[in-house]
Amino acid sequence: MTLDALDTPALVVDLEALRANVVAMAATADAAGVALRPHAKTHKSLHVARLQLDAGAVGLTVAKLGEAEVFADGGVEDLLIAYPLVGSLKLARLVALARRVPRLSVAVDAIATAEAISAAVAAAGGIELGVRAEVDTGMHRLGLAPASDELVALAQAVDRLPGLRFDGVMTHEGQAYQARDEAELAAAAATACDAMVRSAEAIRAAGVDCAVVSMGSTATARFAAGHPGVTEIRPGTYVFNDRSQLAHGSATVAGLAATVLATVVSRPSAGIACIDAGAKALTSDRMIVRDAAPDYGAVAERGWPVVRASEEHGLVALPEGAVVAVGDRLAIVPNHICPVVNLFDAVAVVERGRVVDHWPVAARGRMT
Amino acid sequence: MTLDALDTPALVVDLEALRANVVAMAATADAAGVALRPHAKTHKSLHVARLQLDAGAVGLTVAKLGEAEVFADGGVEDLLIAYPLVGSLKLARLVALARRVPRLSVAVDAIATAEAISAAVAAAGGIELGVRAEVDTGMHRLGLAPASDELVALAQAVDRLPGLRFDGVMTHEGQAYQARDEAELAAAAATACDAMVRSAEAIRAAGVDCAVVSMGSTATARFAAGHPGVTEIRPGTYVFNDRSQLAHGSATVAGLAATVLATVVSRPSAGIACIDAGAKALTSDRMIVRDAAPDYGAVAERGWPVVRASEEHGLVALPEGAVVAVGDRLAIVPNHICPVVNLFDAVAVVERGRVVDHWPVAARGRMT
């Protein structure tokens, strides 16, 4: 099947670029001697997960219990749920999941959250769950301050709680996306890594093992992997990449493995092409850069921005002299690929210009 | 089942509020003597569609062929696809759909688009498709200028093309959402309605019947319904409403029929609660108002804004003295409900505080 036989809007994945991205990140981790535990929230796909594990990933990171359940169903044996699980409904599911996943771990940032998990696990019996303390290295979303008394106390509490095994510390250093250039990005990564190494040392000084020092973001992965004391990286976006990663130098144009194929449905004015990909195909996410432009993606290779998006209409700003007609197809590079994938039930997999498969976005819709 | 038995994040629909919204808009249309053709892109649900049709809606508006197919499967007999259908794949599906939907119509804004549809319909034989010309009354998305020569020429072309029946004119007057207050909103609605009535008159003056003059937006519906010469309204959001509609006075707090139920998963600082609803549950859409604040929704009744959203984390800014603990549940009113519904496979239907049903978002994922 050719690309022409694909109706639009469609999420198209270039298999060759995807494979190269998977292999390159595995090589980065391997060369640095750190574990690679990719965040599967980007792809939510068993097919992509299999590529990652085959290339040497130790396991997967997920954001949701529902995602973990899907990957467990798919046979993945090592899963980190990098999210505090709260409430009896989730804890009952966590216990059931722990019974069938050989290596399951979770992140927590509060003793009370760990205590509730411990109570559920201990009541079930026969389970040991890995736990990581989430550190806030500057994203200011959740997590405890690096090397703080609260962090050490959490590690100590987890260490003595029944059914739990303290594995180490993790962070999402998303603040690095505010870097203006490569030097600032490297510095932000180093600062975050230092904070994590200090955190691990403080925990060890208190007599608690802290084997894992885990960093997570595609933009910082190439810096974090080689930072002394870091033991694991958890990039997600690198499998597909997007405009934000291009801007941060963490992807090249050749590494853009996912685009939204759209059709021009109207030419309302000389400078505008209206395409059938709006916010329900591209999302309303801006680029993850400092002072992001208010746009919704850009045409691949040409760079023409999608300057407005209604739910089902995208308006592409054309340069003078651009020849674009109703019926033409344009590949759009999204600003942020993760929520875009989350809108599609399946991706069309393309190899050398031909659609060779359709992969379900298996964990999409698993809201809880 | 109580709300406590619902895992989060969940999209919760209050049945009583939904029914009241459906009845109130039907009464508005009825009192004004105009047809009501709700836009189903908001709910994508056969259950909600049935409520609307039972309350007197003449049919539904949809944005996509895939949505039309779902509603046709559900037995809806009058559908307007308010979107220019382009390309042979879509035209083949359109022809198949026309064979099984008693009253099917489409919108176009170019003669070439109409000609391609006519060619497909005429080649199939035995089908007559209703066509509306899309007018740009100020949204500047697509559509032809009001009462313009191009618009009249399009109507004339459709009128003579085989297999097509020119039904009238339609617009989405989304520019009205830039109004600062009720007076500006009323004025924007009146301006758009006048432009549409003039458009119909220009077409009639050229000897082409133009029965339908159709306006579409929840914010303007109460003004447009009573505007002389308008024959139809196509509001969508009114079934659920959202923060944007509240701001425009087109909904009251009692009319907020859909909220995202979330759990507090962390209290990272005194002024912040982190909830399990981020951009993958609330979207990144701003409010549809002039100079929208950079937030992602607000806690129902309390008004506390969701000031930041990662994919799975929302940060709620708490006022001094607010008592919020990990495990607490908060109902979030989205900025824009339509793309939020599009993220969920089903909505939890609540009546008098109890979950009485789960309705599939049947047309979600029908990207094409």
Side-chain angles (χ1 to χ4, degrees), chain A residues 11-63:
Chain A
L11 182 56
V12 175
V13 168
D14 184 290
L15 187 54
E16 197 176 357
L18 166 63
R19 283 194 178 127
N21 293 339
V22 166
V23 166
M25 188 60 81
T28 296
D30 196 46
V34 297
L36 171 62
R37 182 184 292 279
H39 206 313
K41 54 123 188 179
T42 302
H43 56 75
K44 299 191 181 220
S45 155
L46 291 167
H47 292 80
V48 178
R50 187 48 56 198
L51 292 177
Q52 293 175 313
L53 294 167
D54 287 350
V58 297
L60 297 180
T61 306
V62 297

Side-chain angles (χ1 to χ4, degrees), chain B:
Chain B
M1 173 177 177
T2 65
L3 269 173
D4 289 343
L6 214 54
D7 211 344
T8 63
L11 181 56
V12 175
V13 168
D14 184 290
L15 187 54
E16 197 175 359
L18 165 63
R19 282 192 178 128
N21 293 339
V22 166
V23 166
M25 189 61 82
T28 296
D30 196 47
V34 297
L36 171 63
R37 182 184 292 280
H39 205 312
K41 54 121 189 182
T42 302
H43 56 74
K44 300 191 180 221
S45 154
L46 291 167
H47 292 82
V48 178
R50 186 49 55 198
L51 291 178
Q52 292 174 313
L53 295 166
D54 287 350
V58 298
L60 297 180
T61 306
V62 295
K64 288 171 175 274
L65 194 47
E67 292 171 357
E69 288 163 346
V70 169
F71 288 109
D73 291 346
V76 179
E77 298 188 342
D78 189 332
L79 290 166
L80 164 66
I81 305 173
Y83 202 87
L85 296 177
V86 171
S88 58
L89 296 168
K90 288 211 169 61
L91 297 184
R93 288 165 61 199
L94 177 64
V95 165
L97 188 66
R99 294 208 185 281
R100 63 193 183 100
V101 175
R103 291 175 298 288
L104 181 64
S105 53
V106 297
V108 297
D109 74 342
I111 291 175
T113 305
E115 285 173 341
I117 294 173
S118 167
V121 167
I127 304 169
E128 190 187 56
L129 201 62
V131 174
R132 297 165 176 214
E134 183 152 4
V135 179
D136 176 10
T137 51
M139 179 79 172
H140 303 321
R141 184 167 77 178
L142 48 64
L144 297 173
S148 61
D149 292 347
E150 291 75 15
L151 178 65
V152 172
L154 173 61
Q156 289 175 314
V158 169
D159 191 47
R160 65 171 178 260
L161 280 167
L164 305 188
R165 179 190 70 241
F166 185 77
D167 282 346
V169 287
M170 60 153 282
T171 191
H172 168 55
E173 62 275 28
Q175 68 278 4
Y177 283 100
Q178 293 306 307
R180 265 172 265 240
D181 55 31
E182 181 93 0
E184 279 194 16
L185 185 62
T191 301
C193 290
D194 281 338
M196 291 298 282
V197 173
R198 279 191 293 112
S199 295
E201 284 164 359
I203 290 167
R204 290 171 194 141
V208 178
D209 278 348
C210 184
V212 173
V213 179
S214 178
M215 309 298 295
S217 112
T218 289
T220 57
R222 63 194 188 279
F223 308 110
H227 195 97
V230 168
T231 71
E232 182 183 275
I233 56 174
R234 307 184 324 280
T237 311
Y238 77 97
V239 290
F240 294 147
N241 291 311
D242 53 26
R243 279 181 92 204
S244 304
Q245 298 302 336
L246 264 187
H248 287 292
S250 32
T252 63
V253 169
L256 291 172
T259 49
V260 173
L261 187 65
T263 299
V264 176
V265 296
S266 180
R267 285 297 316 278
S269 64
I272 294 288
C274 179
I275 58 174
D276 60 0
K280 279 182 174 169
L282 300 170
T283 78
S284 294
D285 275 37
R286 305 299 194 213
M287 283 175 73
I288 314 170
V289 298
R290 184 187 282 256
D291 303 325
D295 62 30
Y296 302 87
V299 178
E301 293 166 25
R302 300 183 179 94
W304 306 335
V306 181
V307 290
R308 274 179 54 200
S310 307
E311 288 167 52
E312 303 292 0
H313 304 75
L315 298 189
V316 177
L318 304 175
E320 185 128 1
V323 180
V324 175
V326 170
D328 286 359
R329 289 172 159 219
L330 300 173
I332 310 297
V333 182
N335 287 338
H336 184 198
I337 191 64
C338 308
V340 170
V341 174
N342 189 48
L343 294 172
F344 288 81
D345 285 347
V347 301
V349 182
V350 171
E351 198 170 16
R352 286 184 292 277
R354 292 193 68 81
V355 180
V356 294
D357 211 344
H358 289 86
W359 291 348
V361 183
R364 196 216 60 76
R366 300 298 301 258
M367 299 299 292
T368 63

